[in-house]
Amino acid sequence: MKVVTLRSPGGLDQLELVERGAPGEPGPGEIRVRIHASSLNFHDYGVVSGKMPTEDGRIPMSDGAGVVEAVGEGVDEFAVGDAVVSTFFPYWLDGPARVGDFRTTPGDGVDGYAREQVIRPATWFTHAPKGYRHEEAATLTTAGLTAWRALVVDGNLKAGDTVLTLGTGGVSIFALQFAKAMGARVISTSSSDAKIERLQQLGADHTINYKAEPEWGKKVKALTDGKGVDHVIEVGGPGTLPQSIDGVRIGGHISLIGVLTGRGGEIPTAKLMAKQARLQGLIVGSRIHQQEMVCGLEASGIRPIIDSTFPLEEIADAFRHEEAGRHFGKICLSF
């Protein structure tokens, strides 16, 4: 089977396509999955670029979607032919967050899904939404579930709420789609007028070009009659958090998801305190969260926005496309 490995110390030129033997038959409680697709995330880029060091020879990619080829003894949740999608934290099945690192995350602490076949415990996967293509399902493991947890699990989103999304990456676009499907109003930002037009087509009620409006937090307040938004999908980190605090309502909710602007910086803590807002960090979600999201996707009919798809052997080019920052939505691998 085809497998992509990453040579230490990392870097896109250190990705190598190799041939390995088939994994064999699953043991008790395991399934063998023919992987057909993966999707690129900022975390995956951190690993393959060498910014988040991992073991020499690591198989990258945290997202994997495909078809069950064989089931081991005692597995009754899946049958041969079922379409499945991987989970980000394989051992966090339910309950409150209990994982604070990536030691168990496929493609980082353990081998991931840049390969054609894999044998894993059945609990490392969930069913994919009915009718989804494998590329669509592969976008759910990281980006889809992060947005779902931020708004639905942690944010208790309800109809009539207002949501602020930043940029046009996978998490932000999923958040826009979830929010609109649940009857919320959405304000979205981007630095590209062309991308702003696409955000409007997806249903964004208001859009802001953050380069033209560097103090976009004030604009957000103006668009909400001076109140501020109920929820912020904060993917930027320290460079954008002060504006997000400006734009959130008193008692609102900020989901701190990304660090695209860096890992440290000055935060206006007095203003956050005065806002009495809840600033909550999160990393993806549990298996039960993913199962609930799949039910929500099937009920709402939401389909992921896919920017482009690359074959497995062009994985480095796929990451170069992500690196360029011109994409809108998810970049996928199909194999």
Side-chain angles (χ1 to χ4, degrees), residues 159-212:
D161 282 356
T162 304
V163 176
L164 172 64
T165 66
L166 309 185
T168 55
V171 173
S172 297
I173 290 178
F174 267 117
L176 165 59
Q177 292 177 291
F178 287 143
K180 293 304 298 182
M182 297 180 72
R185 294 173 61 230
V186 179
I187 301 172
S188 297
T189 74
S190 174
S191 62
S192 162
D193 288 337
K195 290 181 177 181
I196 280 175
E197 186 174 343
R198 294 196 64 185
L199 289 168
Q200 292 168 345
Q201 292 170 356
L202 284 175
D205 298 275
H206 300 284
T207 52
I208 301 170
N209 187 315
Y210 63 79
K211 283 194 174 177

Side-chain angles (χ1 to χ4, degrees), residues 65-248:
V67 176
V68 176
E69 289 187 322
V71 298
E73 181 184 351
V75 175
D76 54 16
E77 184 176 358
F78 300 108
V80 173
D82 283 351
V84 294
V85 58
S86 65
T87 59
F88 190 86
F89 289 124
Y91 301 103
W92 182 17
L93 304 184
D94 53 26
R98 54 174 60 93
V99 187
D101 55 45
F102 303 111
R103 285 180 292 179
T104 61
T105 297
D108 189 341
V110 299
D111 283 335
Y113 297 106
R115 59 172 117 183
E116 292 184 308
Q117 288 178 303
V118 66
I119 291 177
R120 287 289 182 257
T123 51
W124 285 41
F125 288 85
T126 71
H127 288 280
K130 293 180 178 64
Y132 263 40
R133 294 182 293 112
H134 295 305
E135 293 85 356
E136 292 176 315
T139 69
L140 303 179
T141 297
T142 304
L145 188 55
T146 299
W148 175 269
R149 181 182 164 197
L151 289 176
V152 179
V153 180
D154 294 344
N156 298 309
L157 179 71
K158 62 183 185 300
D161 282 356
T162 304
V163 176
L164 172 64
T165 66
L166 309 185
T168 55
V171 173
S172 297
I173 290 178
F174 267 117
L176 165 59
Q177 292 177 291
F178 287 143
K180 293 304 298 182
M182 297 180 72
R185 294 173 61 230
V186 179
I187 301 172
S188 297
T189 74
S190 174
S191 62
S192 162
D193 288 337
K195 290 181 177 181
I196 280 175
E197 186 174 343
R198 294 196 64 185
L199 289 168
Q200 292 168 345
Q201 292 170 356
L202 284 175
D205 298 275
H206 300 284
T207 52
I208 301 170
N209 187 315
Y210 63 79
K211 283 194 174 177
E213 296 259 9
E215 294 191 354
W216 43 267
K218 294 180 180 178
K219 180 68 172 179
V220 168
K221 285 194 69 177
L223 290 170
T224 54
D225 298 323
K227 296 177 182 177
V229 297
D230 300 287
H231 309 273
V232 181
I233 303 301
E234 174 50 78
V235 298
T240 53
L241 189 52
Q243 292 299 318
S244 291
I245 293 171
D246 266 351
V248 75

